[in-house]
Amino acid sequence: MTGLNRRLLQHAPAVRGFVGLGAAIGVATALLVIAQAGLLAEAITAAFLGGAGLADLAALVTALVGVVLGRAALAWGAEVAA
């Protein structure tokens, strides 16, 4: 079973752009999920095993907020595109 039939794309040229956009949004979302997991792991490790305080974690928390906002923007973009 194939994921996408090329003949279907030939019959529906308006879908080509959305399929490409959907794939790009999916890849970007996956990369941001991986980044979020890494940042969370680093922050939790620093806080609980390293004894870091809130001031020490400020950069990690800021980066984590940026990743979450990026994922929210991609989710919004996917909904708008749909």
Side-chain angles (χ1 to χ4, degrees), residues 17-49:
F18 176 70
V19 170
L21 181 63
I25 288 174
V27 168
T29 301
L31 292 173
L32 285 177
V33 167
I34 292 169
Q36 182 178 356
L39 287 169
L40 275 173
E42 192 173 340
I44 291 169
T45 301
F48 290 104
L49 297 179

Side-chain angles (χ1 to χ4, degrees), residues 3-14:
L4 183 63
N5 191 341
R6 291 183 187 260
R7 288 183 293 161
L8 178 63
L9 289 180
Q10 291 173 354
H11 293 295

